[in-house]
Amino acid sequence: MIDEQQVAITDSEWELMRAVWTLKRVSSRQLITIMEEERQWADSTTKTLLRRLIKKGAITPVGDARPYDYVPAVQEQASMDAAAVRLFDQMCAMRAGSAVAAVINSRELSQADIAQLQQILQEKAKTAPQMVACNCLPAGMGENCMSEGDDVDGQR
Amino acid sequence: MIDEQQVAITDSEWELMRAVWTLKRVSSRQLITIMEEERQWADSTTKTLLRRLIKKGAITPVGDARPYDYVPAVQEQASMDAAAVRLFDQMCAMRAGSAVAAVINSRELSQADIAQLQQILQEKAKTAPQMVACNCLPAGMGENCMSEGDDVDGQR
DNA sequence: CCAATTAGTTTACAACTGTAAACTTAAAAA
DNA sequence: TTTTTAAGTTTACAGTTGTAAACTAATTGG
């Protein structure tokens, strides 16, 4: 199913999801153990989060007998991509490039990742504009968030 | 001041911030007008968000007479970078590369942005590992979220 | 100087989040 | 088959977020 994109996953839910994605099929017991060891969550906490994720359709219980197992109902990569794109969508378009740079700098990437990114960039360069317009204000109020000094107020 | 990084800005606050960052110094009146036109917010809504942002130190009121003006107390680029890095920090390290690719693909980047990214990647390639380890489970429970099929459960 | 008008401050309130206890089955052990 | 234990379901509860009304204190227009 591809209805996933809209499932909003919160910070703590994200933690649980990662375990489910990684194990592909887990019992609540395993999840409780993992989250206890990893975040010191009380078992009830894991149970609650598991329940919420099931309700919002991010996890599906499988099996017919009592100790059910749980499997992800949304893909990890797709969820990550959506979350990342969404974040960038709410920030100034003009500064996205630098933000991406910050992310890359903060992270370890494999040779393959780098190659893929270089590939994409090279392709993108062919049609890239000289400059990306700032989209921080409603049309008409044409201002640009990068004009001049990035001042940060008084106390300096 | 550089204590900024930790100021957590919520989704709607982000909208207001963008206007403040762009205008550099605004009156509440201008903000109210902008947010009304851009998000159909009631004036009280803008007032509340402005107040909350002041309280959490993201905006500073300036002036001594009554109609104060407001200026950002944290830098836009730094805030964006922090938000983006934070998001990636909570997702699987092994899949960050693809997520970055998704962001790049979803976005318009300027020639300069692309050049900068290529520069960074080239540098990073020199010491990049063959593979980035999955960090989704607590140490010891060594599993890797990318082993085999990215199945998405039943209903297909 | 008094009345309108604004700008700024409090209060409101439901939904969502993080965190967890309590309760109710169903399964396993005795 | 009775008791224990583990799995699943409800309820709880404070703090945050989105949204906004109400109230108070300055400003400004007469």
Side-chain angles (χ1 to χ4, degrees):
Chain A
M1 264 292 85
I2 1 58
D3 63 325
E4 347 175 336
Q5 357 306 13
Q6 50 276 52
V7 182
I9 297 170
T10 73
D11 284 8
S12 18
E13 288 172 348
W14 203 269
E15 307 261 5
L16 231 210
M17 284 308 292
R18 287 178 69 181
V20 178
W21 276 320
T22 303
L23 297 173
K24 276 131 196 145
R25 188 183 216 272
V26 254
S27 63
S28 61
R29 182 49 36 193
Q30 289 175 84
L31 288 175
I32 288 175
T33 302
I34 293 175
M35 299 320 284
E36 145 69 56
E37 161 165 345
E38 175 166 326
R39 310 273 315 186
Q40 291 71 57
W41 280 358
D43 55 354
S44 355
T45 302
T46 300
K47 289 179 179 183
T48 300
L49 273 290
L50 177 56
R51 193 130 297 285
R52 287 185 185 165
L53 284 165
I54 289 171
K55 181 186 309 191
K56 60 170 71 169
I59 289 181
T60 312
V62 294
D64 37 326
R66 195 49 172 341
Y68 304 113
D69 268 356
Y70 301 89
V71 299
V74 295
Q75 286 183 230
E76 178 168 23
Q77 191 65 60
S79 301
M80 285 178 59
D81 293 0
V85 168
R86 172 179 168 293
L87 180 67
F88 276 82
D89 276 345
Q90 84 185 23
M91 309 195 295
C92 178
M94 182 173 247
R95 293 172 183 274
S98 298
V100 170
V103 170
I104 291 180
N105 277 320
S106 80
R107 211 136 295 280
E108 189 172 43
L109 294 178
S110 71
Q111 293 290 339
D113 285 333
I114 294 180
Q116 189 202 7
L117 291 174
Q118 284 176 319
Q119 163 60 44
I120 293 177
L121 287 172
Q122 196 162 337
E123 198 52 44
K124 237 178 150 53
K126 293 183 187 164
T127 61
Q130 209 51 48
M131 172 159 232
V132 176
C134 166
N135 60 340
C136 290
L137 291 185
M141 312 209 54
E143 291 276 348
N144 151 2
C145 72
M146 278 188 88
S147 37
E148 87 156 40
D150 227 80
D151 30 40
V152 176
D153 88 273
Q155 65 270 36
R156 45 139 320 180
Chain B
M1 264 291 86
I2 2 59
D3 63 323
E4 347 175 336
Q5 0 304 16
Q6 50 276 55
V7 181
I9 296 171
T10 73
D11 285 8
S12 18
E13 287 172 349
W14 202 269
E15 307 261 4
L16 229 211
M17 286 306 293
R18 287 178 69 180
V20 178
W21 276 320
T22 304
L23 297 174
K24 275 130 195 150
R25 187 184 216 271
V26 254
S27 63
S28 60
R29 181 47 38 190
Q30 289 175 83
L31 287 175
I32 288 174
T33 304
I34 293 174
M35 299 320 284
E36 145 68 54
E37 161 166 344
E38 175 165 327
R39 309 271 315 184
Q40 290 71 61
W41 280 357
D43 55 354
S44 354
T45 301
T46 299
K47 289 180 180 183
T48 300
L49 274 290
L50 177 55
R51 193 130 298 284
R52 288 185 185 165
L53 283 165
I54 290 172
K55 179 185 309 189
K56 60 170 69 170
I59 289 181
T60 311
V62 293
D64 37 325
R66 196 46 176 335
Y68 304 113
D69 267 356
Y70 301 89
V71 300
V74 295
Q75 285 183 232
E76 179 169 22
Q77 190 66 58
S79 301
M80 285 179 58
D81 293 0
V85 168
R86 172 179 169 294
L87 181 68
F88 276 82
D89 276 345
Q90 84 185 23
M91 309 195 296
C92 177
M94 182 172 248
R95 293 172 183 275
S98 298
V100 170
V103 169
I104 292 180
N105 276 321
S106 80
R107 211 138 296 280
E108 190 173 43
L109 294 178
S110 71
Q111 292 290 337
D113 286 331
I114 294 180
Q116 190 202 5
L117 291 174
Q118 285 177 319
Q119 163 60 45
I120 294 177
L121 287 173
Q122 197 163 335
E123 198 52 45
K124 237 178 152 51
K126 293 183 188 164
T127 61
Q130 208 51 47
M131 171 158 232
V132 176
C134 167
N135 59 341
C136 289
L137 291 185
M141 311 208 55
E143 292 274 349
N144 151 1
C145 74
M146 276 187 88
S147 39
E148 85 155 44
D150 227 81
D151 31 39
V152 176
D153 90 270
Q155 63 272 33
R156 42 138 321 178

